Amino acid sequence: MANNVQKVYLTISIDTECDHDTNWVRSNPIAFESINEGVPNRLQTAFDSVGAVPTYLLTVEVMEDPECVQTLRELKGDFELGTHLHAAFIEPHKKYHDYAGVDSPDFQCGYSEDIEYRKLENLSNLFDECFGYRPTSFRAGRYGASSDSLNNLQKLGYKVDTSVTPHLRWTAPNAVVDFRKAPEQPYYPAADEIIVPGEYADERILEAPVTIMPRLLRRGPIWFRPWFATVDQMKQIFRYHLNKHADKEVLNINMMFHSMEVIEKASPYPQSAEDVERFIDDMLEGLTWCKEEGVEFCGLSSLHEPFKKAA
C-alpha cells in the first residue's frame, strides 16, 4: 500500500434493473433475463470465484416482479441488496405503470424535498415487503441526487449513498446535477451539501463516489468498470487513486455497472455471447489483480464503519 494507506476496500455497485434495448429504453415486452439468468448464473457465480462481494441495487420494477423477488431471495453467496430509484416509477406522481418500452429521464432531486422523501420511503417499504429488512445502500437513477436526497436517505436509515460521479455533470428535463468538483474518495457530506465534505456526526450517511479517473487533453474521464475500461486501464485507475490519496488511511475502489450488461443486446454494450464473455473475463481479471494487490472486498454498507473510524 502507498504511504499512509492501510486498507483498500473494493465494492461493486450494480444497478439491477429489467432488460433494456440497445438505446437504453426498457424492453418491450418487459423482460427480466438480467435478473433471473444474469444475477445468479453469470454475475454471482463469477464473484464467488474470486471472493468478491457485489451490491445489487434494485429498482421498482424488479421488486414488483414476483419471479425476480424469488430469484433474489434464493440467491446464494456473499452479496448485499440495496435500492436504486427511477423516480417516475413510484408514487407519489408515478408517471408509468407499464414500464415496457419507456424511458425514465426524471431526476429524483428535481421533485420537492417532501415528494422525493415519500418516493424514497415507498421504495424502501417495497424492499422491506420483499425481503423482510430495511435497505441501507442506495444509488439515484441517472445519478440525479442532491443534498436533499442525502438528508432523506439518512432519515430513512440508509448508511451509504453511491450517486456521486466525480468529474461529471448530468442534465435531465427536471434538474441538473454537477459533480465535477466532488471528492473522489468516500466522505461524510457537510450538512445540506452533497459534494462538500464535513465532520462526521449523528450517524451521517456516507457518500461513496463511483471510482472515476480524470484525463487530460479534453478526453473524458474513465470509469473503473468493465467494457468502459480495459484491464490495463482498470489497473491504471487503481494506481491513480492509491497515489493521489496516499495521505488517507482508508480508500475505496467502487466499480459500477448495470445488471443487463451481462445479457447480450439488453444494453448498448455487449451485443453477443462473445462480448458478454469478454466483459466477465475482463471484470474477473481486474478484480483478481486488485485482490493480489491486497484489497478487501465488501458490500457498500460495510464501508460506513471503517470510514467513520478514519474520520
Side-chain angles (χ1 to χ4, degrees):
M1 299 297 180
N3 295 347
N4 287 343
V5 178
Q6 298 177 12
K7 181 72 74 173
V8 179
Y9 293 94
L10 196 151
T11 51
I12 305 161
S13 50
I14 304 170
D15 293 355
T16 306
E17 310 182 18
C18 66
D19 300 348
H20 286 51
D21 66 17
T22 55
N23 296 312
W24 271 135
V25 174
R26 284 154 188 83
S27 59
N28 189 5
I30 198 79
F32 294 97
E33 188 178 2
S34 165
I35 310 302
N36 297 313
E37 164 64 22
V39 169
N41 299 326
R42 300 187 183 187
L43 286 173
Q44 192 61 43
T45 300
F47 295 134
D48 288 345
S49 72
V50 294
V53 184
T55 300
Y56 301 106
L57 301 168
L58 311 180
T59 51
V60 171
E61 73 273 13
V62 170
M63 292 187 284
E64 288 179 344
D65 183 81
E67 185 179 358
C68 290
V69 172
Q70 188 70 16
T71 294
L72 293 165
R73 286 175 66 96
E74 295 176 353
L75 188 63
K76 306 299 183 184
D78 198 357
F79 60 89
E80 177 180 346
L81 301 180
T83 56
H84 179 53
L85 180 61
H86 287 277
F89 290 0
I90 201 162
E91 298 288 0
H93 305 311
K94 181 171 179 169
K95 290 185 176 180
Y96 303 106
H97 294 270
D98 181 0
Y99 310 121
V102 303
D103 196 6
S104 177
D106 290 354
F107 285 168
Q108 63 183 65
C109 63
Y111 293 86
S112 69
E113 182 177 6
D114 176 62
I115 295 297
E116 183 187 15
Y117 177 84
R118 289 161 61 194
K119 285 179 177 289
L120 289 167
E121 182 180 41
N122 288 337
L123 179 75
S124 305
N125 289 343
L126 177 60
F127 182 99
D128 197 348
E129 291 168 10
C130 291
F131 303 106
Y133 61 95
R134 304 297 291 181
T136 53
S137 56
F138 177 82
R139 178 154 49 232
R142 299 180 183 265
Y143 318 103
S146 68
S147 59
D148 286 345
S149 308
L150 297 187
N151 292 337
N152 285 332
L153 289 166
Q154 185 169 320
K155 290 174 188 175
L156 289 164
Y158 285 83
K159 293 182 177 181
V160 177
D161 175 68
T162 180
S163 302
V164 168
T165 53
H167 312 294
L168 292 166
R169 177 180 182 272
W170 306 99
T171 62
N174 68 334
V176 174
V177 292
D178 191 345
F179 299 138
R180 288 175 293 183
K181 295 183 180 180
E184 294 176 327
Q185 282 292 315
Y187 58 98
Y188 291 95
D192 299 319
E193 296 285 354
I194 188 168
I195 64 168
V196 179
E199 298 293 328
Y200 174 81
D202 302 324
E203 293 303 312
R204 182 61 167 155
I205 191 170
L206 178 72
E207 180 57 49
V210 176
T211 295
I212 296 173
M213 182 183 77
R215 293 191 291 179
L216 302 176
L217 302 176
R218 298 186 179 180
R219 293 184 298 170
I222 186 167
W223 303 50
F224 184 84
R225 61 185 282 190
W227 201 261
F228 276 40
T230 65
V231 174
D232 284 343
Q233 286 173 325
M234 284 191 275
K235 293 178 182 179
Q236 181 185 3
I237 297 165
F238 182 95
R239 294 188 185 106
Y240 162 83
H241 276 265
L242 257 66
N243 292 329
K244 174 80 176 292
H245 304 287
D247 59 321
K248 300 181 183 298
E249 293 182 2
V250 182
L251 297 181
N252 172 226
I253 300 297
N254 184 17
M255 176 183 284
M256 176 271 166
F257 60 90
H258 304 82
S259 58
M260 51 279 197
E261 293 180 45
V262 296
I263 302 296
E264 49 270 30
K265 294 185 171 65
S267 79
Y269 309 135
Q271 296 298 299
S272 67
E274 292 75 18
D275 286 346
V276 171
E277 184 176 5
R278 177 165 65 87
F279 181 104
I280 294 174
D281 286 348
D282 284 357
M283 178 182 73
L284 287 179
E285 186 176 345
L287 293 176
T288 300
W289 181 85
C290 290
K291 183 177 181 179
E292 291 168 352
E293 291 295 303
V295 306
E296 180 174 322
F297 295 117
C298 70
L300 276 174
S301 296
S302 297
L303 292 175
H304 192 275
E305 191 63 24
F307 279 90
K308 175 183 174 181
K309 291 179 179 178

